[in-house]
């Protein structure tokens, strides 16, 4: 046994001093599918601790739909409908999340005021290829930030479109913070959200949520283009068994996102 000790020590030392990581760059990892979430699959299938094995940046929700998730700089944040931001334990589960190891490929300044639609146009001008996954990080000051969170659900779970009718909306004013999100290609329809899906967290980590609208005053944008997509489904083979994935839920998705 002893002869393995020295190579192992060397390997660990090389990893430690080179900062090597098992997280591949430019890979978006997603748990479950957006259509499963729309259909009411809210039981968590991956722990927050395991999520961080796939990246340090991302968005999602929690077991039983208990709030909105933001992952920034390797910390998982949970905003519940009480408006408070929590840092959940590593064993708290998620039924739907998208993460990556964020390494910006391009950085740009935002110097003009823009609403959410205008901000998307600014990002589109910087990253015009709509057929790639991009992770988006915008740090800035916002005159308005309208975000929502969703309430924890009990079984039998209603579809997401019914839950979001009772979502809690927070209208933040004059706040500094970070937008964390993704723009996904049209071909992810049914799997993730085509186009933009962004969450926000304030600099003081006290306010957060899924973005419905905003107005940025100024800030800095960072974009990470990702060319790999990893979809991880629940290990419980029965979890998606009864869902009809042939049905088009695009209309429901539009309603829950806005
Ligand atoms: Zn969201």
């Amino acid at each position: 046994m002893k002869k393995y000790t020295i190579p192992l020590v060397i390997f660990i030392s090389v990893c430690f001093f080179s900062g090597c990581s098992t997280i591949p760059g430019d890979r978006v990892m997603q748990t479950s599918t957006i259509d499963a979430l729309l259909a009411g699959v809210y039981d968590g299938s991956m722990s927050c601790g395991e999520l961080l094995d796939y990246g340090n940046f991302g968005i999602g929700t929690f077991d039983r739909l208990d709030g909105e998730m933001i992952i920034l700089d390797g910390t998982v944040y949970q905003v519940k409908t009480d408006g408070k931001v929590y840092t959940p334990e590593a064993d708290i589960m998620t039924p739907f999340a998208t993460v990556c190891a964020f390494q910006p490929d391009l950085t740009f300044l935002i110097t003009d005021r823009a609403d959410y639609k205008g901000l998307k146009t600014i990002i589109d001008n910087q990253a015009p290829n709509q057929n790639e996954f991009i992770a988006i990080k915008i740090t800035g000051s916002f005159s308005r930030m309208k975000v929502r969170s969703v309430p924890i659900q009990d079984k039998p779970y209603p579809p997401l479109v019914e839950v979001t009718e009772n979502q809690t909306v927070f209208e933040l004013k004059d706040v500094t913070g970070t937008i964390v999100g993704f723009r996904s290609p049209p071909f992810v329809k049914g799997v993730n959200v085509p186009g933009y899906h962004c969450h926000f967290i304030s600099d003081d980590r006290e306010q957060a949520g899924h973005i419905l609208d905003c107005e940025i005053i100024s800030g800095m944008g960072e974009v990470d283009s990702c060319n790999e997509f990893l979809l991880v489904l629940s290990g419980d083979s029965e979890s998606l068994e009864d869902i009809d994935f042939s049905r088009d839920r695009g209309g429901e998705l539009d309603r829950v996102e806005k």
Side-chain angles (χ1 to χ4, degrees), residues 100-232:
C100 72
F102 190 81
Q103 282 194 313
D105 298 307
L106 67 98
T107 301
F108 51 95
L109 288 175
I110 299 161
T111 51
D112 294 327
R113 281 178 183 255
D115 62 10
Y116 195 27
K117 192 167 169 240
L119 192 53
K120 291 173 187 175
T121 303
I122 291 170
I123 299 163
D124 285 345
N125 289 338
Q126 294 287 335
N129 182 359
Q130 297 286 334
N131 292 332
E132 65 176 357
F133 290 89
I134 59 170
I136 302 150
K137 181 176 174 183
I138 311 271
T139 22
S141 45
F142 302 83
S143 58
R144 298 186 286 114
M145 178 57 72
K146 185 177 178 184
V147 290
R148 71 110 193 270
S149 188
V150 282
I152 190 167
Q153 298 298 303
D154 292 311
K155 285 183 176 175
Y157 295 136
L160 189 56
V161 73
E162 287 178 26
V163 175
T164 53
E165 282 169 11
N166 298 310
Q167 66 190 8
T168 306
V169 175
F170 307 104
E171 306 223 21
L172 318 179
K173 305 275 181 209
D174 300 320
V175 61
T176 58
T178 305
I179 291 175
V180 173
F182 292 88
R183 188 190 68 197
S184 299
F187 56 76
V188 302
K189 186 174 180 340
V191 176
N192 201 309
V193 179
Y196 287 88
H197 182 189
C198 297
H199 291 186
F200 172 80
I201 186 160
S202 61
D203 280 345
D204 60 13
R205 305 293 188 251
E206 288 186 357
Q207 296 170 301
H210 168 111
I211 299 178
L212 299 172
D213 197 11
C214 66
E215 185 185 61
I216 189 166
I217 300 168
S218 63
M220 186 180 73
E222 294 169 89
V223 164
D224 183 5
S225 298
C226 298
N227 66 339
E228 289 184 38
F229 182 69
L230 174 65
L231 179 63
V232 179

Side-chain angles (χ1 to χ4, degrees), residues 2-99:
K2 210 165 187 178
K3 64 183 176 183
Y4 295 111
T5 310
I6 290 172
L8 185 65
V9 167
I10 291 169
F11 173 75
I12 291 169
S13 304
V14 167
C15 274
F16 182 79
F17 290 109
S18 67
C20 92
S21 158
T22 54
I23 304 173
D26 294 341
R27 174 186 289 179
V28 174
M29 190 288 296
Q30 181 193 318
T31 61
S32 191
T33 71
I34 193 70
D35 273 15
L37 198 72
L38 286 165
V41 180
Y42 305 146
D43 285 331
S45 57
M46 184 181 282
S47 72
C48 288
E50 198 183 345
L51 263 187
L52 295 178
D53 290 341
Y54 293 95
N56 59 358
F57 179 97
I59 54 176
T61 185
F62 293 91
D63 194 46
R64 297 173 57 200
L65 215 62
D66 191 14
E68 307 279 353
M69 175 191 290
I70 297 100
I71 304 177
L72 185 56
D73 300 325
T75 300
V76 181
Y77 299 96
Q78 176 181 23
V79 58
K80 300 191 187 187
T81 48
D82 62 6
K84 293 187 179 143
V85 178
Y86 300 83
T87 47
E89 298 293 323
D91 61 350
I92 298 294
M93 303 291 282
T94 173
F96 182 78
T98 309
V99 304

